Amino acid sequence: MSALESSAEDGLGHSLGFVRIIEMTPEGRARIEYEAGPHMCHSGGVVQGGFVTGWIDAAMAHACIGMVGDGIVPMSLELKVSFFAPARPGRVIAEGWVERKGRRTCFFEGRLVDTEGNILAKASSTLMLMPRDKVEAASKSALGGS
């Protein structure tokens, strides 16, 4: 089970409208299906840009996890999103793929498409690869755990 699938049970995936992972490969590609709901929209029935950004960001992170394994947490160093057309309520597909992999830093690209394949947004991201145990220990410490 991927981080997004398990987080769907914890609320994050539910909040994002997670439906399913379509593809997640060792070559560094991922495709994730989401259901955009009316509660995600602002004026005119347009999905708020933070959801669009979150969907593409998750796809790029899952492409990274597919490539390096779930013992690594991809931490965003930079994220840029360009919006081409409004996302509306209904199904959308977020795609992510690796452009270049380094030892600790990777570069990813992604996009959001509707069910007809129209590109709604594109993104690029610089991700730092961090060991999961260190990320979880730091989170636990920040929350006052030992």
Side-chain angles (χ1 to χ4, degrees), residues 107-135:
F107 301 91
F108 281 79
E109 292 195 5
R111 66 184 188 172
L112 184 72
V113 298
D114 63 17
T115 55
E116 278 87 49
N118 298 307
I119 298 173
L120 306 175
K122 286 188 173 182
S124 61
S125 181
T126 305
L127 299 173
M128 181 173 54
L129 306 179
M130 295 290 297
R132 179 172 296 280
D133 59 343
K134 289 187 179 189
V135 173

Side-chain angles (χ1 to χ4, degrees), residues 63-138:
C64 185
I65 293 166
M67 183 175 66
V68 299
D70 64 2
I72 296 294
V73 174
M75 304 291 289
S76 296
L77 297 175
E78 180 182 51
L79 177 64
K80 178 186 183 294
V81 181
S82 298
F83 301 92
F84 299 125
R88 305 276 184 190
R91 294 285 165 106
V92 292
I93 306 292
E95 303 172 337
W97 60 90
V98 65
E99 282 294 321
R100 177 172 236 156
K101 181 186 181 299
R103 284 186 307 117
R104 288 195 37 121
T105 306
C106 298
F107 301 91
F108 281 79
E109 292 195 5
R111 66 184 188 172
L112 184 72
V113 298
D114 63 17
T115 55
E116 278 87 49
N118 298 307
I119 298 173
L120 306 175
K122 286 188 173 182
S124 61
S125 181
T126 305
L127 299 173
M128 181 173 54
L129 306 179
M130 295 290 297
R132 179 172 296 280
D133 59 343
K134 289 187 179 189
V135 173
E136 289 176 352

Side-chain angles (χ1 to χ4, degrees), residues 12-96:
L12 176 60
H14 177 74
S15 295
L16 289 174
F18 173 77
V19 175
R20 67 187 174 112
I21 293 176
I22 298 168
E23 174 184 37
M24 189 169 155
T25 73
E27 294 78 33
R29 293 193 67 79
R31 295 174 65 230
I32 304 172
E33 184 176 22
Y34 293 95
E35 179 71 29
H39 64 286
M40 299 172 174
C41 297
H42 57 73
S43 56
V46 175
V47 174
Q48 197 272 341
F51 287 102
V52 172
T53 301
W55 294 329
I56 303 171
D57 184 43
M60 292 185 290
H62 273 70
C64 185
I65 293 166
M67 183 175 66
V68 299
D70 64 2
I72 296 294
V73 174
M75 304 291 289
S76 296
L77 297 175
E78 180 182 51
L79 177 64
K80 178 186 183 294
V81 181
S82 298
F83 301 92
F84 299 125
R88 305 276 184 190
R91 294 285 165 106
V92 292
I93 306 292
E95 303 172 337

